[in-house]
């Protein structure tokens, strides 16, 4: 679960109205041909549109919602293969924002042969977004910058907040919450495929976007042309319940933390601020966490002055630092400042992960998670659930268990349409799976399981760090993905691609000169 939707600067989503629509297609592409899309220019090589889909795909002529869609036009239209759909995960991250930012790069990756298409999944962004408060002030007052809890007293206070959040979400969103499952979104995707005129689907799914891909491949296997799944989730664990879904997502979180510290030590004091203090980088960082476990660290020059809590530190490590190796040197410098007794820079950042914008971004993702993975435990049992999860990950369990999972224990609605298997379909062409060796959110084992389950899949292992292969650039991975999407050529089974540079390299992220 990437949870990039938690960015503090996300725009406020306004709940889209549900309107009656006639003539909507039936599930699976049956029924009348969809109406053509009214595209309008919205940027360089970009066109935007609003596409209506049924709220309930079992009632195609009933109420509808509108999906926000964007496409980056192929730079070589005369050699165009079709459309390439992108879902960046989240769940609930904006595909419109992703294609707007990355369309040019994906066009280059695929030789200009595809229109790159993104959409905001239902319940998020510009597509009937979930919002659980009447306005930002009400949301801010409700949370009052309360961080993820790590003490028993704070847990009980936070639990009461999650119960209240679930109640508010039910009151303000009504029947929408029952139609936000990955199966619903997959049927939306199939409709969008028809709308753009493609006979078969080309798709890149990242993080929880891989669940959309796996669901599509199992519901509509004959409609798949090419599918790249990067940062694979385990659909069996994901649909087994909230605690199971969370547990699989941080299988390698602590291992990635250990790699962060080992690479810091190897970089030495010139490359990593935690190194070279008479102890190892691991000992110095662990001392900071141990101190925070006992009491907050002062943040006298934060704005306003305050103190950094253990829960805030874990939240930053889980959601911000570990997924993104590009910021590992900066994260090490912030931890070193805390080791010296001043957590002010960390506290300023941490407040961005406990403010109104953070919680606003959280609501759609929680709604989608709860639709796919209803909790099997009541709210009163949730502290015990998090404590059990902490046995699997001391870094990831509290942030993800409380901020993401706890509301599902009180969620007011069950999804009408959930796909819980099978996951063993065979597609005409292989599905290309990409798994990163040290990924704090989607462990490599998930990609290995998917390769065994699917009847036609090939795993490309990225010997790198962070969440998703593009977080730790590998020209080897990029070349393999580009060849596959254009020519349907997969790398040999067992292929392992190195990263271009190690984290803490001063030139990390810069292209490696050609030999």
């Amino acid at each position: 679960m990437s949870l990039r939707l938690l960015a503090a600067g996300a725009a406020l989503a306004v709940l889209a109205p549900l309107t009656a629509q006639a003539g909507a297609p039936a599930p699976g592409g049956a029924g009348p041909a969809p109406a053509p899309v009214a595209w309008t220019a919205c940027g360089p090589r970009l066109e935007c549109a609003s596409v209506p889909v049924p709220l309930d795909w079992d009632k195609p002529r009933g109420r509808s919602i509108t999906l926000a869609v964007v496409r980056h036009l192929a730079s070589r239209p005369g050699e165009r293969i079709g459309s390439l759909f992108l879902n960046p995960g989240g769940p609930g991250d904006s595909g419109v924002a992703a294609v707007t930012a990355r369309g040019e790069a994906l066009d280059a990756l695929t030789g200009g042969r595809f229109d790159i298409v993104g959409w905001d999944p239902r319940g998020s962004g510009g597509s009937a977004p979930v919002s659980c408060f009447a306005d930002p002030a009400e949301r801010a007052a409700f949370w009052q910058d309360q961080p993820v809890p790590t003490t028993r007293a704070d847990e009980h206070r936070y639990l009461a907040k999650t119960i209240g959040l679930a109640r508010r979400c039910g009151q303000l969103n009504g029947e929408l919450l029952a139609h936000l499952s990955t199966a619903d979104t997959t049927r939306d995707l199939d409709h969008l495929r028809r709308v753009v005129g493609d006979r078969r689907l080309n798709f890149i799914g990242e993080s929880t976007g891989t669940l959309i891909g796996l669901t599509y491949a199992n519901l509509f296997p004959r409609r798949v042309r090419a599918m790249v799944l990067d940062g694979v989730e385990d659909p069996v664990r994901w649909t087994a319940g909230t605690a199971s879904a969370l547990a699989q997502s941080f299988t390698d979180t602590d291992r990635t933390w250990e790699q962060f510290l080992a690479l810091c030590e190897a970089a030495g004091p010139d490359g990593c601020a935690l190194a070279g203090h008479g102890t190892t980088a691991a000992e110095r960082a662990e001392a900071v966490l141990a101190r925070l476990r006992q009491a907050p660290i002062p943040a006298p020059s934060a704005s306003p002055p305050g103190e950094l809590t253990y829960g805030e530190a874990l939240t930053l490590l889980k959601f911000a630092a570990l997924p993104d190796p590009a910021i590992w040197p900066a994260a090490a410098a912030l931890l070193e400042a805390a080791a010296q007794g001043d957590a002010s820079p960390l506290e300023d950042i941490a407040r961005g992960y406990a403010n109104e914008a953070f919680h606003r971004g959280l609501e759609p993702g929680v709604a989608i998670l709860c639709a796919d993975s209803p909790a099997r435990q009541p709210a009163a049992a949730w502290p015990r659930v998090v404590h059990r999860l902490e046995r699997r990950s001391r870094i990831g369990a509290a942030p993800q268990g409380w901020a993401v999972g706890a509301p599902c224990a009180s969620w007011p609605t069950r999804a009408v349409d959930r796909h819980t298997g099978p996951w063993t379909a065979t597609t005409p062409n292989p599905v290309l799976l990409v798994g990163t060796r040290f990924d704090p959110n989607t462990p490599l084992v998930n990609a290995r399981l998917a390769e065994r389950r699917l009847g036609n899949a090939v795993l490309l292992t990225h010997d790198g760090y962070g969440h998703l292969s593009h977080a730790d650039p590998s020209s080897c991975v990029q070349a393999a993905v580009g060849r596959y999407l254009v020519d349907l050529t997969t790398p040999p089974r067992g292929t392992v691609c190195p990263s271009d540079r190690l984290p803490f390299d001063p030139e990390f992220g810069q292209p490696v000169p050609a030999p």
Side-chain angles (χ1 to χ4, degrees), residues 193 198-202 222-225 428-429 488:
R193 172 195 61 80
D198 284 6
R199 188 172 64 87
R200 291 195 292 172
L201 178 73
N202 302 288
R222 307 305 298 176
R223 300 177 194 173
V224 176
R225 176 190 175 271
N429 301 315
L488 298 177

Side-chain angles (χ1 to χ4, degrees), residues 123-211:
S124 67
S127 301
V130 170
S131 182
C132 301
F133 296 87
D135 54 55
E138 184 179 81
R139 183 181 290 106
F142 178 85
W143 287 107
Q144 295 180 333
D145 296 335
Q146 184 168 356
V148 164
T150 53
T151 67
R152 297 298 187 263
D154 287 343
E155 285 176 351
H156 290 296
R157 286 191 290 269
Y158 198 95
L159 181 63
K161 292 291 186 183
T162 67
I163 295 170
L165 174 67
R167 177 179 54 80
R168 287 169 179 263
C169 291
Q171 290 172 343
L172 289 183
N173 296 279
E175 62 179 321
L176 175 66
L177 297 184
H179 300 284
L180 296 181
S181 71
T182 294
D184 291 310
T185 292
T186 299
R187 300 188 196 283
D188 293 344
L189 173 58
D190 194 51
H191 179 67
L192 293 174
R193 172 195 61 80
R194 296 182 70 227
V195 159
V196 300
D198 284 6
R199 188 172 64 87
R200 291 195 292 172
L201 178 73
N202 302 288
F203 179 72
I204 297 176
E206 299 173 340
S207 192
T208 52
T210 65
L211 295 167

Side-chain angles (χ1 to χ4, degrees), residues 412-480:
T413 306
R414 290 295 181 102
V416 172
D417 184 10
R418 292 177 66 225
H419 180 74
T420 58
W423 304 102
T424 55
T426 299
T427 53
N429 301 315
V431 172
L432 179 60
L433 309 166
V434 182
T436 297
R437 192 174 301 280
F438 296 103
D439 184 326
N441 293 0
T442 49
L444 179 59
V445 66
N446 290 352
R448 291 172 175 156
L449 288 170
E451 184 182 35
R452 291 201 293 268
R453 288 176 184 143
L454 289 170
N456 193 6
V458 173
L459 170 60
L460 173 64
T461 300
H462 171 217
D463 189 12
Y465 308 85
H467 184 45
L468 306 177
S469 62
H470 61 75
D472 184 6
S474 167
S475 54
C476 170
V477 170
Q478 292 296 296

Side-chain angles (χ1 to χ4, degrees), residues 261-262 264-266 268 272-288 336 339:
L261 297 173
C264 170
E265 181 69 18
C272 181
L274 285 168
H277 296 279
T279 62
T280 66
E283 290 169 339
R284 193 150 180 87
E286 290 293 354
V288 172
E336 173 56 27

Side-chain angles (χ1 to χ4, degrees), residues 4-5 14 49 57 81 131 206 230 298 307 352 420 480:
R4 284 166 290 168
L5 58 86
V14 179
W57 277 103
I81 294 170
S131 182
E206 299 173 340
D230 186 346
E307 54 188 17
T420 58

Side-chain angles (χ1 to χ4, degrees), residues 19-106:
T19 57
Q21 291 285 335
V37 179
W39 296 102
T40 58
C42 55
R45 302 197 70 83
L46 293 174
E47 294 182 337
C48 294
S50 297
V51 177
V53 294
L55 173 66
D56 183 349
W57 277 103
D58 291 330
K59 300 175 182 177
R61 298 183 182 275
R63 304 176 78 180
S64 79
I65 56 177
T66 301
L67 304 180
V69 186
V70 69
R71 67 177 177 184
H72 180 282
L73 296 172
S75 60
R76 294 166 64 186
E79 301 174 59
R80 180 179 172 277
I81 294 170
S83 298
L84 173 60
F85 287 84
L86 169 68
N87 181 277
D93 280 8
S94 172
V96 171
V99 167
T100 300
R102 297 167 54 192
E104 186 174 351
L106 289 171

Side-chain angles (χ1 to χ4, degrees), residues 251-466:
T251 299
D252 283 350
T253 300
D254 290 12
R255 292 181 67 234
T256 307
W257 166 246
E258 292 164 1
Q259 289 296 310
F260 163 82
L261 297 173
L263 290 170
C264 170
E265 181 69 18
D270 291 336
C272 181
L274 285 168
H277 296 279
T279 62
T280 66
E283 290 169 339
R284 193 150 180 87
E286 290 293 354
V288 172
L289 294 185
R291 178 178 172 183
L292 285 167
R293 188 70 168 155
Q294 298 301 316
I297 294 178
S301 58
S303 181
E307 54 188 17
L308 179 76
T309 69
Y310 183 54
E312 288 174 323
L314 295 182
T315 298
L316 291 176
L317 288 175
K318 172 58 179 172
F319 291 149
L322 294 183
D324 188 0
I327 66 171
W328 283 10
L334 293 172
L335 287 169
E336 173 56 27
Q340 296 181 22
D342 185 358
S344 300
L346 270 173
E347 175 59 15
D348 279 332
I349 298 171
R351 286 172 180 163
Y353 280 82
N355 63 9
E356 186 275 332
F358 168 88
H359 291 103
R360 177 175 70 235
L362 191 69
E363 290 160 20
V366 167
I368 295 169
L369 171 66
C370 297
D372 277 343
S373 308
R376 298 182 179 276
Q377 303 85 2
W382 203 254
R384 295 194 298 276
V385 171
V386 176
H387 300 159
R388 288 197 298 270
L389 292 175
E390 286 176 327
R391 299 171 192 165
R392 297 179 64 93
S393 173
R394 65 189 175 95
I395 302 294
Q400 206 142 342
W402 283 110
V404 181
C408 294
S410 308
W411 205 244
T413 306
R414 290 295 181 102
V416 172
D417 184 10
R418 292 177 66 225
H419 180 74
T420 58
W423 304 102
T424 55
T426 299
T427 53
N429 301 315
V431 172
L432 179 60
L433 309 166
V434 182
T436 297
R437 192 174 301 280
F438 296 103
D439 184 326
N441 293 0
T442 49
L444 179 59
V445 66
N446 290 352
R448 291 172 175 156
L449 288 170
E451 184 182 35
R452 291 201 293 268
R453 288 176 184 143
L454 289 170
N456 193 6
V458 173
L459 170 60
L460 173 64
T461 300
H462 171 217
D463 189 12
Y465 308 85

